[in-house]
Every structure is written in C-alpha cells, then in structure tokens.
Amino acid sequence: MFGLYMLAIYLGVAIIAAGFIMLLVVVALAVGLVTHPIRTIALVFHKLAALSGGLALILALIAWFWTDHAKPDFIPCFLGSIGVIVASIIIRAFAEWILERPTRAEHRAAKRTAVQFSGGTTMYMPVSEEVAMALDADRNERHDA
C-alpha cells in the first residue's frame, strides 16, 4: 500500500513539473511572438517538423516490417509516411534557413561596429577605440621593422 502512495506522489510531482514547463513554454512563445514573430514561428515549425518526421519514420518502419504488403492499406500508409518525412525535411530546412539568417538588428550592429582608422586598420568587431589603436600601432611597428 505504501508503494501506491509513493507512486501517486511521484506522478503528482511529475505532473506538476510538466505543467510548470508547459507554462514556461507558453510564456516563452508569447514573448517570442511579440519580439521576433517570424523567428518564433520558424522555431515552432522547426520543432513540429522534426517531431512529425520522427513519428512518420516510426510509422513507415511499422508499415514496412509488421504489415502484410498485400493488404490494400499498405501502399497509402507507407507512401504517406514517406511523403511526411520528405515534407518535414523540406520544412525543417526552410525553418533552419530562416533561423540562421541575421536579423535587421544584427545587420545594423555589424555596420555600426565596422570602425576604420587612419592607419588602414578596419575592425569588424565591437572593440573600443583604444584597443583598435593599439592593434593598429602594433601592426605599424611590425611593418616598419
């Protein structure tokens, strides 16, 4: 009897933890949709395509190995699973492309951080002017020697 109570407690803790995680996911999606709507939608499609592709792969394997190939429902089930796998690969690749592209803010930041100095040194990283001048002076000393 004690084991059933402990099982109920463990299941209760797991359900509460899963609910808390779902709440965090909903909040993250809401914030993401407000701040970066296209990237958030791409991220959701990225995850859903991976999940549907994995489930379709399992269904294709089940259809191939555990079903009689002479049954009339074998071909639609198997080819449908293959179609879902191909579609999920295409959707996932497109979502990955969207997620990897730099945002407009990143483009603006890259343009702002491109600092050129009189010695010919162009810095494409966010460094202070003192560090860039020191690097430029060091480069000039090496070329003069």
Side-chain angles (χ1 to χ4, degrees), residues 11-68:
L11 287 176
V13 169
I15 289 171
I16 290 171
F20 184 69
I21 289 171
M22 284 296 160
L23 180 67
L24 289 177
V25 166
V26 167
V27 169
L29 281 175
V31 170
L33 282 173
V34 170
T35 58
H36 299 93
I38 295 173
R39 284 182 178 254
T40 304
I41 292 169
L43 182 66
V44 169
F45 277 115
H46 191 263
K47 301 298 181 192
L48 287 177
L51 181 66
S52 64
L55 291 175
L57 178 64
I58 292 170
L59 182 61
L61 291 172
I62 289 171
W64 185 261
F65 288 110
W66 289 347
T67 342
D68 186 14

Side-chain angles (χ1 to χ4, degrees), residues 58-136:
I58 292 170
L59 182 61
L61 291 172
I62 289 171
W64 185 261
F65 288 110
W66 289 347
T67 342
D68 186 14
H69 292 245
K71 287 187 176 181
D73 61 346
F74 167 73
I75 300 251
C77 181
F78 183 72
L79 292 182
S81 298
I82 299 300
V84 169
I85 292 170
V86 170
S88 68
I89 289 171
I90 293 169
I91 291 170
R92 192 169 161 95
F94 182 66
E96 185 77 25
W97 175 73
I98 289 173
L99 291 172
E100 291 297 320
R101 291 183 58 213
T103 61
R104 280 183 285 170
E106 291 169 347
H107 278 293
R108 284 193 301 263
K111 286 180 184 175
R112 269 197 313 267
T113 58
V115 180
Q116 187 164 9
F117 296 97
S118 61
T121 301
T122 303
M123 305 301 278
Y124 288 103
M125 56 186 153
V127 296
S128 66
E129 288 189 30
E130 293 84 16
V131 172
M133 293 295 236
L135 290 171
D136 195 25

